[in-house]
Amino acid sequence: MNQPIRPSPELIAVVRRWNDAVRKRDGAALSNMLSTSEHVRYQGSADGEFWSGSLFRKGFPDHVAEIPNYDWQEHSLEAFECGPVGWAHCVATLRFASNQKATAHRFTFILHLEDGVWKMVHCHVSNPIANMEKIGIEHKALDALIAAARDGFRQDQREGMASVMFTDIVNSSAIAEKLGDRVWTEAIQKHFELARETIEAQGGTLVKSLGDGTMSSFSSARAALMAAAELQRRNTANPDEPSVQIRIGIHTGDVIQTDDDFFGTVVNKAARVAAAAAPDEVCVSDATQLLVGGQDTLNFGPPVSMELKGLPGAHTVYSLKW
């Protein structure tokens, strides 16, 4: 019987430890995380950086030791597993001390479960180059696909307004490293079950889990706020160990729906509002607050003007008093 592919919080923690070991030039940790198979492979971003097997295991710590100090800003990391095989994709910006140049990097990883421990069998690092520079053309197929999805959404006259909610566990990497992958994975799964139950009880849909957080959608802004407040209450009252703190952000606007996913500027802004929230806080955009501001059962703190990463101008955000 085919085994299902599923998101893997455990592999996200493993890959983050790998990336941290590279940044810290921890050769011992990197060697320990590598598979002992002769089929292990590494593809770097520079010409000639292709190594395999025992040569890779022996030389990679020395290669890492030559890398100048750099600051690391992770933009996205997702991981999946299917039986004894897992894979991950990471996007990050690295700023090297040697030239102070910030460079986008993309990483793909393939891992294999060996004696109950995930081991790295393949790592690929690349730097994005514009298609016009590389091949002299710009690809239009994806733009056309997005446009077609948007047009179809309008033609079907489906409801375009939704309140999108993001949740994020605070300091998840540090907690995972302290507890270990197995304990942390169980804690994450319990948290996701709590989130799903709370979201669906208010008529919402859990669209996806994102490593250490969730994205959900609601047709009602009030329902989204009620779910957020209840999730914070239940999470803080949860007696199970380890205890976790979460931040929540909500924004309301037009979305495009394809299958079970949503995308559009509303999704981006909801994620940024969540990132601006403090531990145990629910932050909402002014658009969401405006829709429910006159309802006595929902109380907010004073408006706060702030910048949201990747979005132009100043944005007004409210804190929900849950």
Side-chain angles (χ1 to χ4, degrees), residues 8-17 77-79 88 210-212:
S8 178
E10 181 179 6
L11 284 183
I12 285 180
V14 171
V15 169
R16 281 186 174 144
R17 284 207 300 276
L77 173 58
E78 56 182 355
L210 303 164
D212 50 9

Side-chain angles (χ1 to χ4, degrees), residues 39-221:
H39 300 301
V40 65
R41 296 290 187 270
Y42 177 83
Q43 178 68 67
S45 58
D47 187 29
E49 289 184 349
F50 175 75
W51 305 302
S52 61
S54 57
L55 178 64
F56 171 45
R57 285 193 299 275
K58 181 179 179 180
F60 189 58
D62 293 333
H63 169 73
V64 169
E66 293 179 333
I67 300 174
N69 291 333
Y70 60 87
D71 294 327
W72 169 279
Q73 182 182 12
E74 179 187 296
H75 301 297
S76 66
L77 173 58
E78 56 182 355
F80 306 90
E81 60 182 276
C82 182
V85 178
W87 57 97
H89 179 264
C90 178
V91 177
T93 296
L94 281 64
R95 183 183 297 275
F96 292 91
S98 55
N99 58 10
Q100 290 300 311
K101 183 178 180 180
T103 307
H105 284 68
R106 298 174 297 192
F107 305 83
T108 54
F109 307 90
I110 301 175
L111 301 98
H112 184 246
L113 200 57
E114 300 177 4
D115 296 325
V117 179
W118 288 107
K119 297 288 187 175
M120 194 74 65
V121 294
H122 178 86
C123 178
H124 187 181
V125 186
S126 67
N127 304 126
I129 300 175
N131 284 320
M132 185 60 71
E133 178 183 348
K134 182 171 67 173
I135 57 178
I137 66 169
E138 290 291 351
H139 286 296
K140 300 294 185 181
L142 185 58
D143 292 339
L145 183 63
I146 293 173
R150 184 178 290 111
D151 290 342
F153 189 68
R154 292 171 181 153
Q155 291 167 3
D156 290 344
Q157 297 182 343
R158 298 164 66 187
E159 180 58 49
M161 183 72 71
S163 291
V164 176
M165 181 174 83
F166 278 84
T167 72
D168 177 60
I169 296 177
V170 180
N171 294 327
S172 59
S173 297
I175 299 173
E177 185 171 357
K178 180 179 179 180
L179 295 175
D181 296 335
R182 297 296 179 186
V183 175
W184 180 239
T185 298
E186 293 177 2
I188 283 283
Q189 293 302 327
K190 288 181 180 179
H191 175 70
F192 284 170
E193 291 171 5
L194 175 65
R196 180 185 294 278
E197 179 181 334
T198 306
I199 290 164
E200 292 179 351
Q202 293 294 334
T205 300
L206 181 61
V207 178
K208 63 173 68 173
S209 58
L210 303 164
D212 50 9
T214 66
M215 170 186 164
S216 56
S217 68
F218 300 79
S219 59
S220 160

